[in-house]
Amino acid sequence: MANTKRPRTGERRQINQPLKIDKLPPEIHEAVLTLRNRLGKTWEEIEALSAAPKDKGGFVDWENLPLPVLELFPEKHLPHSSLHRWYDLRVTQVRRDVEQRSVIARQLAESFAKSVVTGQNEAVTNAARDQLMSLLAEDLTPKGRTNAAKGLIALAEILQSARANDIKERRVAVDVRRIKLLEDREKQARERIDQATQQAAKKGTGQFSIDDINLLRERTFGLPPIQVAS
């Protein structure tokens, strides 16, 4: 046998059906909220005021309500149980949902704030993150959470790709510096050879002696001198 038990205060409904009080004009809803939140009236007191004439503190003009709405309240008053249930569904639970969304959104925002993204990826990632925070804040249904989760996974992949690209760029920069260092060393070696050659040429013989060769070996290649057999 199906469970037809009505949900209690604070419990969610499996099917979000409109309430009778929802059919009333917005100004009546505002009056209920004022009496409850600002003036601290009990639900029983609000029920009594709903049946009173407007010139005696009442807030519902029963005679001027549309007939379909008036037929929902044949006794021309708002039952305190209905008022309590309407307030729980339309105010308390909504407020709680908003607070939960805010907590989750803040936690996710703090999590992403720890991720470091630089360069051209920063603007794209920040925009995607803002969209996901907005999506999560607006829809906490299973479908909404699923969509947000998919977006978060995609954003995580973007962050991972950005980090990988950053690592590659750093490796390229290191390789460039290494090549530059080798080029500088080669240039310095050529300069040392030129200097040694010029010094030998200044002697005017046009030939390299053992001392000249040893000088080149030592200054250019760091090699020990040639030992000439006696």
Side-chain angles (χ1 to χ4, degrees):
M1 181 176 179
N3 185 8
T4 59
K5 183 180 178 180
R6 296 184 61 182
R8 293 176 295 180
T9 300
E11 295 179 345
R12 296 183 180 275
R13 291 191 170 192
Q14 296 181 353
I15 300 177
N16 189 16
Q17 296 179 340
L19 304 176
K20 291 181 179 180
I21 296 180
D22 290 333
K23 303 294 184 179
L24 294 170
E27 57 268 21
I28 296 179
H29 300 157
E30 292 296 329
V32 172
L33 295 177
T34 298
L35 291 169
R36 180 66 181 182
N37 297 335
R38 293 178 56 187
L39 302 181
K41 299 292 185 181
T42 65
W43 296 120
E44 288 77 7
E45 290 173 333
I46 297 175
E47 176 182 358
L49 290 173
S50 71
K54 298 201 69 175
D55 58 354
K56 294 184 179 180
F59 59 92
V60 182
D61 189 0
W62 295 104
E63 302 303 326
N64 291 322
L65 288 178
L67 183 59
V69 176
L70 186 60
E71 290 176 346
L72 298 175
F73 304 92
E75 298 182 2
K76 296 183 179 181
H77 77 283
L78 303 179
H80 65 273
S81 57
S82 298
L83 286 166
H84 190 190
R85 184 58 181 163
W86 174 83
Y87 187 89
D88 178 63
L89 287 173
R90 301 296 182 251
V91 180
T92 304
Q93 292 189 22
V94 171
R95 185 181 298 162
R96 184 169 62 244
D97 288 345
V98 171
E99 291 175 353
Q100 290 176 350
R101 294 188 188 105
S102 298
V103 171
I104 295 175
R106 184 170 60 254
Q107 291 174 345
L108 289 173
E110 291 174 353
S111 176
F112 279 110
K114 297 178 181 178
S115 301
V116 178
V117 181
T118 59
Q120 297 178 351
N121 296 309
E122 183 176 4
V124 176
T125 304
N126 289 341
R129 181 176 57 197
D130 291 343
Q131 291 295 325
L132 290 171
M133 295 304 104
S134 176
L135 173 63
L136 188 59
E138 292 175 359
D139 189 358
L140 272 182
T141 63
K143 182 178 180 180
R145 289 195 298 269
T146 299
N147 291 335
K150 291 180 179 179
L152 293 174
I153 292 173
L155 184 56
E157 292 175 350
I158 292 174
L159 292 172
Q160 184 176 4
S161 177
R163 294 191 187 97
N165 291 335
D166 184 54
I167 292 174
K168 291 179 181 178
E169 291 175 358
R170 292 181 182 179
R171 287 177 177 173
V172 170
V174 170
D175 291 340
V176 170
R177 289 195 297 271
R178 185 181 294 113
I179 293 173
K180 182 66 168 56
L181 180 60
L182 293 176
E183 290 177 344
D184 291 342
R185 289 179 179 177
E186 183 180 355
K187 180 180 178 182
Q188 293 173 2
R190 287 198 305 268
E191 290 176 349
R192 287 196 296 268
I193 292 174
D194 291 341
Q195 291 175 359
T197 303
Q198 291 174 5
Q199 291 176 0
K202 289 180 180 178
K203 295 180 179 181
T205 62
Q207 297 180 353
F208 285 97
S209 66
I210 294 299
D211 292 337
D212 295 330
I213 293 174
N214 285 337
L215 184 62
L216 286 172
R217 287 169 57 86
E218 179 183 358
R219 292 188 176 181
T220 305
F221 304 107
L223 297 175
I226 298 173
Q227 300 295 328
V228 180
S230 58

